[in-house]
Amino acid sequence: MKLIIGNDHAGIELKKEIVAHLHEQGYIVQDVGVDTGERSDYPIVAKAVAQAISDKEYDLGILICGTGIGMAVAADKVAGVRASSITSVPFAELFRQHNNGNVVCLSGRFVDLEVNKEIVKTFLTTEFE
Ligand code: RB5
């Protein structure tokens, strides 16, 4: 499975944790996010990930900002992308099962790390019904 991840300045720490966690599980993930703490424009990163998903260069995408909301709003503007802010494991499961979601948008500021790890695991392992 080919994965792509992106983040703004509010998602740097969570991005690092998620990428490390994915590597531990054997996933390869392309990182197109920012790594400096300077303010960055989340729609630019959202578009990079969304366009790569739309172009079928990657199977699933992960976006991280402060809330996950801005990334989802921006990514959903790209054809073929089904992105949503996801803050719980049941929503991650339903997002895959019922919506065939292909870009999960995480909150780097308001959701616990362990919950975010479980959201990602669920997003990557749940099939569309
Ligand atoms: C940045 O402060 C914040 O607005 C951004 O990360 C995101 O949460 C927007 O939706």
Side-chain angles (χ1 to χ4, degrees):
M1 181 184 292
K2 294 181 74 178
L3 305 178
I4 183 168
I5 192 168
N7 63 283
D8 72 358
H9 56 281
I12 295 171
E13 294 310 314
L14 178 59
K15 187 271 295 289
K16 288 178 181 170
E17 295 278 1
I18 295 294
V19 167
H21 188 61
L22 289 171
H23 285 166
E24 282 170 15
Q25 295 172 31
Y27 288 104
I28 296 170
V29 56
Q30 177 69 34
D31 181 1
V32 296
V34 304
D35 283 307
T36 73
E38 291 173 29
R39 292 186 72 82
S40 55
D41 287 335
Y42 63 82
I44 294 171
V45 178
K47 186 171 183 188
V49 167
Q51 195 62 56
I53 294 293
S54 179
D55 293 344
K56 303 194 186 312
E57 294 172 20
Y58 297 89
D59 301 305
L60 294 173
I62 302 167
L63 284 166
I64 307 170
C65 63
T67 59
I69 296 170
M71 288 292 196
V73 169
D76 268 324
K77 291 183 166 43
V78 177
V81 170
R82 295 172 297 280
S84 182
S85 163
I86 298 293
T87 57
S88 73
V89 173
F91 274 33
E93 189 170 28
L94 289 167
F95 180 48
R96 287 289 306 133
Q97 288 176 337
H98 292 189
N99 309 116
N100 198 14
N102 53 15
V103 178
V104 69
C105 302
L106 306 177
S107 167
R109 288 180 173 157
F110 299 101
V111 176
D112 288 347
L113 173 60
E114 293 308 316
V115 173
N116 272 323
K117 284 182 180 174
E118 283 299 311
I119 287 171
V120 170
K121 178 182 168 190
T122 303
F123 174 67
L124 298 181
T125 58
T126 304
E127 296 293 326
F128 177 47
E129 288 178 348

